Amino acid sequence: MAGVKLEKLEKTYPNGFKAVHGINLDIRDGEFMVVVGPSGCAKSTALRMVAGLEEITGGKIWIGDRVVNDVEPKDRDIAMVFQNYALYPHMSVYKNMAWVLKLKKIPKDEIDQRVRRAADILGLTEMLTRKPKQLSGGQMQRVAVGRAIVRSPKVFLFDEPLSNLDAKLRVQMRVEISKLHNKLKNTMIYVTHDQVEAMTMGDRICVMELGRIKQVDSPTNLYNRPANTFVAGFIGSPSMNLVEAKLTFDDGTCYANTDHMHLRLPDEIGHKVKHYDGKPVHLGIRPEHISSRLANKEATDNFFKTEVFVVENMGNEVYVYFTPGNNQYIARADPGLQIKSGDVHEMWFDTHHVHLFDRETKENLIHSPKTK
Ligand SMILES: Nc1ncnc2c1ncn2[C@@H]1O[C@H](COP(=O)(O)OP(=O)(O)O)[C@@H](O)[C@H]1O
Ligand SMILES: [Mg+2]
């Protein structure tokens, strides 16, 4: 097994487009690292460079203790699972998994042993004689993973392997891949644009935007201590509310002033942003930290009256949209409150949970932006 290290990794495509801007990432031996970001942020480009399928135009890639920049893909001890399973349609499940080992001239007995072990791990034993067209999408995906397992690679690379599956199957396969990691304990790098997949699967998550890494951290830290507005807005669904505000201090108490609100912030937040007195910031607050005052009747401040614009009922929770001034907010409320669109409510902001970001650098002012 081996860790993977990216050191000032860069990619400029032949047409001159710079897709990766000098990224550093240290993936530990045995770790499940999820790389997440919107489409086009260069997740696949970075992963393909690790696999050796894309030339590296700057920096280094380490797999274990060797630099692999000039090592052929087949000699890198990695196996990659793609979004389209790329199974051979005319071969049985068994042959699909055995094929690459046959090419490597591995003895027949050993091939048989490896294929049966992979089939056992993935629950494919009963399907070894079937052809791909006799399999469901989820089963085909498992065969694609099986083809990677039989190679006993040091590192597994996954590029959006679940995107072609329907929502329910995706959830199921998500759990299966997590279980697979628990069983095999190999280093795995898993690329996805889906933040829910990232949050539920990763030991750590690397968030990318436009060829740069914005934060590398545990799911909990990304959610509770986002390093910047990009991570704050990207992780979590519905997204964190982010609005422009100006900080002022009155008698030592810090207030965040938006175009319609005057929020009193707790002292433990105020004392971290004393140097922002009079300055513009971005104020962030997650939907679960805004509710109707009906849910907190004792609140004496930090609420304001507004018309509810839209209500989305999810069954177990309700998303309440309201648009005071130029801002739009989403709150997550209890269905028991029976909030309806068109109602006028006092919306209450739990300011213990606000985030403040520098307007220029977009960095978090309350939590150290230092990533782990
Ligand atoms: N062969 C190529 N030549 C030029 N630009 C490319 C090439 N392949 C990808 N890109 C560009 O590089 C960026 C990153 O692409 P990609 O790695 O596929 O992103 P992701 O996997 O995150 O969706 C995109 O802007 C894409 O258009
Ligand atoms: Mg991609």
Side-chain angles (χ1 to χ4, degrees), residues 216-253:
V216 183
D217 223 323
S218 65
T220 313
N221 278 347
L222 284 183
Y223 193 81
N224 295 323
R225 307 165 69 91
N228 46 61
T229 50
F230 181 77
V231 175
F234 190 73
I235 300 288
S237 176
S239 295
M240 182 188 285
N241 298 286
L242 282 165
V243 300
E244 293 185 350
K246 192 167 136 184
L247 297 184
T248 53
F249 285 78
D250 186 7
D251 240 2
T253 301

Side-chain angles (χ1 to χ4, degrees), residues 59-340:
K60 285 182 191 162
I61 296 180
W62 301 71
I63 296 179
D65 51 13
R66 69 176 176 156
V67 174
V68 296
N69 287 40
D70 299 320
V71 176
E72 288 286 308
K74 65 176 174 42
D75 299 325
R76 290 192 184 192
D77 255 342
I78 47 112
M80 186 147 167
V81 180
F82 298 91
Q83 177 178 344
N84 60 346
Y85 327 118
L87 301 181
Y88 303 112
H90 56 287
M91 290 186 194
S92 66
V93 167
Y94 186 101
K95 282 195 175 149
N96 260 286
M97 292 203 271
W99 185 245
V100 65
L101 302 180
K102 219 166 153 183
L103 288 182
K104 287 188 164 184
K105 308 229 176 338
I106 289 176
K108 233 176 162 175
D109 287 356
E110 191 182 335
I111 294 180
D112 190 62
Q113 210 179 357
R114 290 206 207 174
V115 169
R116 289 188 188 282
R117 176 170 168 267
D120 181 43
I121 290 173
L122 295 165
L124 289 171
T125 306
E126 310 295 312
M127 288 158 216
L128 286 173
T129 56
R130 287 200 205 169
K131 295 270 172 64
K133 68 171 185 298
Q134 296 168 294
L135 302 175
S136 68
Q139 290 163 343
M140 283 197 265
Q141 185 57 60
R142 270 188 266 162
V143 178
V145 174
R147 278 201 311 202
I149 294 179
V150 293
R151 298 169 60 183
S152 307
K154 283 186 179 151
V155 179
F156 283 91
L157 307 177
F158 295 92
D159 193 354
E160 313 234 12
L162 309 184
S163 330
N164 284 349
L165 304 178
D166 65 47
K168 200 166 169 190
L169 200 52
R170 229 167 29 226
V171 174
Q172 208 175 318
M173 286 301 292
R174 205 159 83 193
V175 176
E176 286 196 24
I177 292 179
S178 294
K179 279 205 283 200
L180 184 71
H181 179 250
N182 290 341
K183 225 180 259 180
L184 302 178
K185 299 200 166 36
N186 285 59
T187 309
M188 296 189 179
I189 310 178
Y190 186 102
V191 161
T192 178
H193 67 275
D194 180 345
Q195 58 94 19
V196 177
E197 233 169 77
M199 289 295 279
T200 51
M201 296 176 82
D203 290 336
R204 283 192 307 158
I205 300 171
C206 166
V207 183
M208 286 186 70
E209 183 199 23
L210 297 174
R212 291 192 167 81
I213 292 178
K214 305 302 286 188
Q215 189 170 4
V216 183
D217 223 323
S218 65
T220 313
N221 278 347
L222 284 183
Y223 193 81
N224 295 323
R225 307 165 69 91
N228 46 61
T229 50
F230 181 77
V231 175
F234 190 73
I235 300 288
S237 176
S239 295
M240 182 188 285
N241 298 286
L242 282 165
V243 300
E244 293 185 350
K246 192 167 136 184
L247 297 184
T248 53
F249 285 78
D250 186 7
D251 240 2
T253 301
C254 183
Y255 292 88
N257 307 280
T258 70
D259 64 353
H260 59 280
M261 257 191 321
H262 191 56
L263 288 175
R264 186 175 58 78
L265 303 185
D267 289 344
E268 69 264 23
I269 291 179
H271 89 254
K272 287 187 180 164
V273 290
K274 282 207 174 95
H275 52 303
Y276 275 77
D277 189 1
K279 290 192 184 160
V281 293
H282 285 288
L283 173 101
I285 184 161
R286 293 211 179 270
E288 60 268 37
H289 299 132
I290 309 177
S291 61
S292 164
R293 196 177 167 210
L294 295 176
N296 185 355
K297 296 200 176 78
E298 293 84 50
T300 53
D301 57 7
N302 294 333
F303 54 84
F304 71 99
K305 216 175 216 176
T306 182
E307 186 179 340
V308 172
F309 177 52
V310 173
V311 174
E312 288 176 338
N313 191 342
M314 311 306 279
N316 61 335
E317 57 190 15
V318 170
Y319 302 149
V320 181
Y321 293 71
F322 51 103
T323 53
N326 294 320
N327 299 132
Q328 168 161 308
Y329 292 95
I330 306 178
R332 198 180 233 164
D334 184 336
L337 296 173
Q338 311 238 332
I339 300 175
K340 294 188 296 299

Side-chain angles (χ1 to χ4, degrees), residues 13 15 17 19 38-45:
Y13 278 108
N15 68 355
F17 178 72
S39 175
C41 72
K43 305 178 294 292
S44 295
T45 302

